[in-house]
Amino acid sequence: MTTMTETKPKKLAVNNNSSAGSRVFDALNVVALVGLALITVLPLLYVLAASFATEPEIASRPFFLWPEKIVTEAYEYIFATPTFIRSLLTTVIVTAVGMVVQVMLTFTMAYPLAKRYLPGRTLVLNLVIFTMVFTGGMIPTYLVVRDLGMLDSYWALILPLAINPFYLIIVKSFFQELPQALEEAARIDGCNEMGVFFKIVLPLSKPIIATFALFYAVAIWNDYMSPLLYITDPDKWTLQILVRQLVATDPAAALSQMDRTWVPPEQGVKFAIIVIATLPILFFYPFLQKHFAKGVLIGGVKE
């Protein structure tokens, strides 16, 4: 008779030293991350507090997180000035139109590049990748914009950066992962390539469309180099140029473009307009971060 020997599961030895070292490492990580978070958040809180503070308090206190006396003169002045309202509306319109144009151009270029049978596909992809490493630079771009007659035009803020090559590659990879059976079924039902793109591909691409629409919108909203180079008419200033004029160059000259019916709190206006220019991005980004990650993973990770 054969005797069966029971084998008891062995207990894994716990290395107390390793566990203690892991806890120390985790604690150091937490301290480092909290420190980085404070470095990021504290200046924002100071700018927000200073925008509600009086001019003497801003001048006398180098740093504070809560004003001694809350005043709203800076915001009242900003929202009563036509220059600010015009700059804000210009930025909103340019961001909305630019986002639509850039998303459409990116997706309509990525869709044919996702087809392996497209003639010249490899050459075009190599040219796209080449632009990720080498660019023409500021002066050649300016000359192209000038020769196309786009100086002092809002199109100069949209078209030169209309297609981001990195975004294009991700969208192309996403299109390649879509089931080919859906496109073949649509063609059997009588759809041409445009019908397949608009009726089949785009409805399946909502997460990645939302992701890159927001990426493009944030880039346009925060862009100040393009309007600085191409826009010379103060009536066409975007919000970022107005912020730059107030904070970095000549505040008196920038304020002179505004309503002078009363003397504004100069320092408070600077902080208030920074808050207003930053607030939309700070408000939307935390809620949309998960969609950003999901959209990028959809296009960049192959299951």
Side-chain angles (χ1 to χ4, degrees), residues 24-40:
V24 171
F25 180 75
D26 292 340
L28 292 176
N29 277 339
V30 170
V31 172
L33 293 175
V34 170
L36 291 174
L38 291 176
I39 292 173
T40 304

Side-chain angles (χ1 to χ4, degrees), residues 133-147:
V133 183
F134 302 99
T135 60
M138 183 186 300
I139 295 177
T141 305
Y142 179 86
L143 295 177
V144 170
V145 171
R146 184 198 64 184
D147 293 342

Side-chain angles (χ1 to χ4, degrees), residues 82-98:
T83 300
F84 169 77
I85 300 299
R86 185 170 56 246
S87 299
L88 180 61
L89 291 176
T90 297
T91 305
V92 171
I93 293 172
V94 169
T95 300
V97 174

Side-chain angles (χ1 to χ4, degrees), residues 224-244:
Y224 82 93
M225 183 58 70
S226 295
L228 179 65
L229 291 174
Y230 308 132
I231 303 298
T232 57
D233 186 358
D235 292 338
K236 296 182 178 180
W237 277 355
T238 62
L239 191 58
Q240 302 303 330
I241 289 297
L242 186 61
V243 171
R244 180 182 180 276

Side-chain angles (χ1 to χ4, degrees), residues 96 109 179 182 254 258 288 300:
M109 183 176 178
L182 293 176
M258 297 184 175
L288 300 170

Side-chain angles (χ1 to χ4, degrees), residues 51-55 71-78 262-265 269:
S51 68
F52 289 99
T54 60
E55 292 291 291
V71 295
T72 59
E73 294 178 359
Y75 290 97
E76 293 173 4
Y77 177 76
I78 287 176
W262 78 82
V263 178
V269 167

